[in-house]
Amino acid sequence: MKRFLLSITQALHESVLVRLGLAMGILALLSFASIVTSTVIAENISGQASAINVSGSLRMMSFRSLSEVQQPEKRSLALTTIEQFERRLNGLDRHIQSKASSDAPSRQAINVVTRRWTEHIRPLARAAADGNPDALIQMAQDIPAFVEQIDRAVLLIEEDLEHKVRWLRATQFALLALIVIVSLVTSWMLKRQLVEPLAQLLKAAKTVSRGSFTVRVRHVGGDELGQLGRAFNTMVAEIANMYAHLEEKVEEKTEALTRTNQSLELLYRVSQKLSASDLTLDQLQVILREVEDALDLGHSMICVSDNGHLPAHPVVGDLTQEEIGKWCGRQDCGQCFARASETLTEQSTASNVVVVPIGEAGGLHGTLPIVLHSREPLPLDKARLIETVGHHVSNALINMRRTEEKHRLAVLEERSVIARELHDSIAQSLSYLRIQVTRLEKCIDQGCDARTIAVELKDGLSSAYRELRELITTFRLRIDERGFGVALQETIAEFSAKLGFPIELHNTLSGIVLSGNEEMHVIRIIREALSNIERHAQAGRASVHIEVAASHHVCIRVADDGRGFDPAATPANHFGTTIMRDRAHILEGELGVSSTPGAGTTITLNFLPQKYRQSET
């Protein structure tokens, strides 16, 4: 209990909210007590006026019953009056018994009246009503005394009622006085402990908002507003301190932002230049010099080790011979590559040369040694910037090597295509011509007629010449940025002019993405088919249909209404169909030839583009 009281006392001392809550609780309790007291007393005095009226009517009925028994003609009414008197007396007795205490004078007076009535007056009145002369005389003598007893009971009831009203008035006045006192105390507490501290705090806040940081609040007690006041004073002091050093911090942040902005601009310029598709080693050297000037670094050099073999060979760099001799003479390539695994800050602590690793796992391996102007450790931001530049340089060298490899593979693939097509066309034609020349020599030696062989030689040379020109045209064929559709339209226009009639074109390939290699092979197959129509078909109508199935398979159909041929009996020295089948095999597709002598020819190519083959696997 003592601990509870101590905690309550401490809470009252430290919390203005607890104090105000307690005051409001007391006000509520006093108001409740006033309402309860008024309700109880009002309930207790309810019916007292009615009891007084009933008591007065009892006096009147006593005299009326006496008058009625004295008149023989009204004695029958006297019995009714006696019964009404008894009912009212019993009701009054019950009311007084429920409202008054056991020792109340009014209750004792009513008991006397009731007992007097029950024991004496009621029997006497009944006997008088029956005409008993003695009873009439006795009743006339006793009624006045009985009425005096009723008058005394009425007086006592009135005194009891007045006493309760006085007690109610005194209680209400006392409670009202307490409520007024507590309200005044609460108002004083609100003003002293809440309103005034808040006003001080608001005034101080306005003063601080105008730029004055010398103001302080006085209310710094242990309650909530006191804690708020201490926190406000501490905050204002800290703001004043911060404001005093704000200009210095602004300058520091401005310098830091400027350095960061310069670093970002440098990284942007470097990344843009290094990501160029036509980057050369000379341009890479220029970029390194720009980084050296921007970061106040010394000379640098890029050394590359192919497949991890040492010693590495320099690629670009501006290290002087003296610096190379001093650095590379003191450390070999293995030590230099080993140092690249350390952080730049650690390296700058031990030497004035830092080594940045470049390359990727399993591919290019190299280092970027950079000479520092001072022996002080590199700042962390500069070290990160150098590492980022090294990463960009590494990506640029890797991309340059990959571009070179792609170019080399493209050249080798193109040479293979040229060799294959020369072998399948010109080489075969020359072999055929060589056989004809051998026949011609034998024919001359034997003295036979060589004109037939000469005609065959002439036809073979003409065919070889046409194939050569077609190959030259095919090798010069390019699909530029205008796309496959434009190249196809130009091919159709070219062969329409050669054939002398328009070739019908139906192309729905716009929704399919072909690789550059696939587009080139498709164009060359179409050109070869149209070239065969031009040379052999003697057609009057030709068409090219390109359709795409729901399964993404591409179907190309080149048809004519020419003279056709027997696919099982391909004429000698004709290799167009073989070349088209080879290209279809490269596309992983199928080439179909449907022809009947006199009924035209249809060339059909079906294949699934590489994009969708990869998605299926």
Side-chain angles (χ1 to χ4, degrees):
M1 185 65 182
K2 184 178 181 181
R3 181 179 299 177
F4 175 74
L5 293 176
L6 288 176
S7 63
I8 293 296
T9 304
Q10 185 178 3
L12 289 172
H13 177 72
E14 295 180 353
S15 177
V16 65
L17 296 179
V18 173
R19 292 195 292 270
L20 292 175
L22 179 62
M24 300 303 293
I26 292 174
L27 281 175
L29 183 61
L30 291 174
S31 300
F32 180 75
S34 175
I35 294 172
V36 170
T37 302
S38 300
T39 302
V40 171
I41 295 178
E43 178 65 22
N44 191 267
I45 65 177
S46 63
Q48 295 288 80
S50 177
I52 294 173
N53 292 332
V54 171
S55 300
S57 67
L58 290 177
R59 292 181 295 180
M60 182 270 295
M61 292 180 71
S62 298
F63 286 113
R64 190 175 68 182
S65 63
L66 177 61
S67 174
E68 289 175 346
V69 295
Q70 290 177 351
Q71 300 178 36
E73 66 277 7
K74 294 184 178 180
R75 287 176 181 173
S76 60
L77 297 176
L79 294 175
T80 303
T81 303
I82 292 170
E83 292 177 357
Q84 291 179 356
F85 183 92
E86 186 170 4
R87 284 197 300 270
R88 292 189 181 185
L89 179 61
N90 291 334
L92 178 63
D93 182 60
R94 287 194 298 270
H95 175 75
I96 296 300
Q97 294 294 336
S98 62
K99 298 295 184 179
S101 59
S102 58
D103 57 348
S106 59
R107 185 170 181 177
Q108 294 177 359
I110 290 298
N111 289 335
V112 171
V113 171
T114 302
R115 191 167 51 253
R116 175 77 172 174
W117 166 260
T118 303
E119 295 177 356
H120 182 69
I121 300 298
R122 183 178 61 186
L124 187 63
R126 288 185 180 275
D130 291 336
N132 189 337
D134 295 332
L136 287 172
I137 297 171
Q138 186 65 36
M139 184 176 178
Q141 295 176 357
D142 293 343
I143 284 299
F146 180 66
V147 170
E148 289 181 2
Q149 290 178 342
I150 293 175
D151 289 339
R152 176 172 175 75
V154 171
L155 178 62
L156 291 175
I157 291 172
E158 290 177 351
E159 289 179 353
D160 186 40
L161 177 60
E162 290 178 358
H163 172 73
K164 291 179 179 179
V165 171
R166 286 194 301 271
W167 192 84
L168 175 62
R169 188 183 299 114
T171 303
Q172 292 295 321
F173 180 78
L175 291 175
L176 180 61
L178 288 176
I179 290 174
V180 171
I181 293 173
V182 174
S183 298
L184 292 175
V185 172
T186 303
S187 301
W188 177 82
M189 289 174 58
L190 283 172
K191 182 176 181 298
R192 182 70 179 274
Q193 301 179 12
L194 188 64
V195 177
E196 289 182 356
L198 286 176
Q200 293 179 13
L201 195 61
L202 180 60
K203 183 179 179 181
K206 291 181 178 179
T207 304
V208 171
S209 67
R210 291 192 292 267
S212 175
F213 302 106
T214 59
V215 65
R216 298 292 185 273
V217 295
R218 296 189 301 274
H219 187 75
V220 290
D223 55 19
E224 291 87 347
L225 291 177
Q227 297 176 15
L228 182 61
R230 287 198 302 272
F232 180 83
N233 292 339
T234 303
M235 179 188 69
V236 172
E238 292 179 355
I239 292 175
N241 186 37
M242 292 174 60
Y243 190 79
H245 300 86
L246 184 60
E247 293 184 357
E248 298 179 1
K249 292 184 177 181
V250 168
E251 291 180 358
E252 293 177 359
K253 293 296 183 181
T254 302
E255 292 178 359
L257 289 174
T258 301
R259 289 194 302 269
T260 303
N261 188 36
Q262 291 174 350
S263 300
L264 291 175
E265 291 179 355
L266 175 63
L267 285 178
Y268 177 76
R269 292 196 306 271
V270 169
S271 62
Q272 287 292 103
K273 294 177 180 179
L274 291 177
S275 61
S277 59
D278 56 348
L279 181 66
T280 62
L281 293 178
D282 292 336
Q283 293 172 339
L284 181 59
Q285 180 61 64
V286 174
I287 295 172
L288 288 178
R289 286 200 183 98
E290 181 181 355
V291 173
E292 293 169 1
D293 295 338
L295 299 181
D296 192 23
L297 302 174
H299 297 154
S300 61
M301 179 175 64
I302 296 178
C303 298
V304 175
S305 168
D306 292 330
N307 299 321
H309 297 299
L310 298 176
H313 59 276
V315 177
V316 293
D318 56 359
L319 286 176
T320 64
Q321 292 297 325
E322 181 181 357
E323 290 173 337
I324 293 175
K326 182 178 179 181
W327 174 250
C328 296
R330 189 173 57 193
Q331 294 191 5
D332 57 20
C333 290
Q335 293 175 327
C336 186
F337 273 74
R339 286 196 62 193
S341 61
E342 302 176 1
T343 63
L344 298 186
T345 304
E346 295 175 350
Q347 295 184 42
S348 62
T349 304
S351 174
N352 68 328
V353 178
V354 294
V355 182
V356 182
I358 60 175
E360 62 180 359
L364 178 69
H365 294 276
T367 58
L368 175 61
I370 301 174
V371 179
L372 304 178
H373 287 157
S374 64
R375 292 296 300 272
E376 296 180 358
L378 274 175
L380 184 59
D381 56 344
K382 184 178 286 190
R384 291 177 177 174
L385 188 58
I386 294 174
E387 290 176 350
T388 305
V389 171
H391 179 70
H392 287 309
V393 170
S394 173
N395 290 337
L397 290 174
I398 293 171
N399 291 333
M400 288 174 65
R401 173 165 290 192
R402 289 175 178 172
T403 301
E404 182 181 353
E405 290 293 333
K406 289 180 180 179
H407 178 69
R408 184 182 298 112
L409 292 175
V411 170
L412 292 176
E413 182 180 359
E414 188 65 23
R415 287 179 178 177
S416 299
V417 172
I418 292 173
R420 184 176 63 250
E421 296 195 357
L422 287 175
H423 175 269
D424 292 341
S425 57
I426 303 299
Q428 298 288 349
S429 297
L430 292 177
S431 177
Y432 172 75
L433 292 175
R434 183 178 179 183
I435 294 173
Q436 296 301 323
V437 169
T438 303
R439 287 181 58 202
L440 180 60
E441 289 176 349
K442 291 181 179 180
C443 185
I444 293 173
D445 292 340
Q446 295 174 0
C448 61
D449 188 5
R451 284 178 295 179
T452 302
I453 300 175
V455 172
E456 292 180 357
L457 281 172
K458 183 178 180 180
D459 292 340
L461 285 173
S462 298
S463 177
Y465 179 71
R466 283 196 303 270
E467 291 178 353
L468 178 60
R469 291 188 61 85
E470 180 62 28
L471 283 177
I472 292 173
T473 302
T474 301
F475 292 145
R476 288 179 177 176
L477 179 63
R478 294 291 184 269
I479 298 178
D480 54 20
E481 66 277 358
R482 295 177 298 172
F484 173 79
V486 175
L488 180 61
Q489 292 282 357
E490 292 178 349
T491 299
I492 296 299
E494 175 189 346
F495 281 93
S496 295
K498 290 180 179 180
L499 292 170
F501 58 84
I503 300 174
E504 179 185 351
L505 174 63
H506 177 71
N507 179 20
T508 61
L509 196 61
S510 59
I512 294 292
V513 177
L514 299 180
S515 65
N517 185 52
E518 289 174 333
E519 290 178 348
M520 186 60 68
H521 281 298
V522 169
I523 284 290
R524 288 180 177 177
I525 289 174
I526 294 174
R527 288 184 64 88
E528 182 65 30
L530 294 177
S531 177
N532 288 338
I533 295 173
E534 175 197 359
R535 287 182 292 177
H536 309 296
Q538 299 177 3
R541 185 174 61 85
S543 62
V544 177
H545 286 256
I546 304 177
E547 298 177 349
V548 181
S551 59
H552 303 297
H553 280 78
V554 178
C555 178
I556 301 172
R557 188 170 61 256
V558 182
D560 66 82
D561 61 350
R563 63 181 185 177
F565 66 96
D566 184 3
T570 303
N573 202 28
H574 289 273
F575 310 102
T577 304
T578 304
I579 293 174
M580 286 191 289
R581 292 188 187 279
D582 290 341
R583 293 190 185 280
H585 179 71
I586 293 174
L587 294 174
E588 296 188 15
E590 296 179 356
L591 183 78
V593 179
S594 175
S595 179
T596 303
T601 303
T602 300
I603 304 296
T604 305
L605 171 65
N606 286 283
F607 73 97
L608 181 65
Q610 181 182 6
K611 172 184 176 181
Y612 298 101
R613 293 201 305 271
Q614 291 176 347
S615 63
E616 287 181 357
T617 56

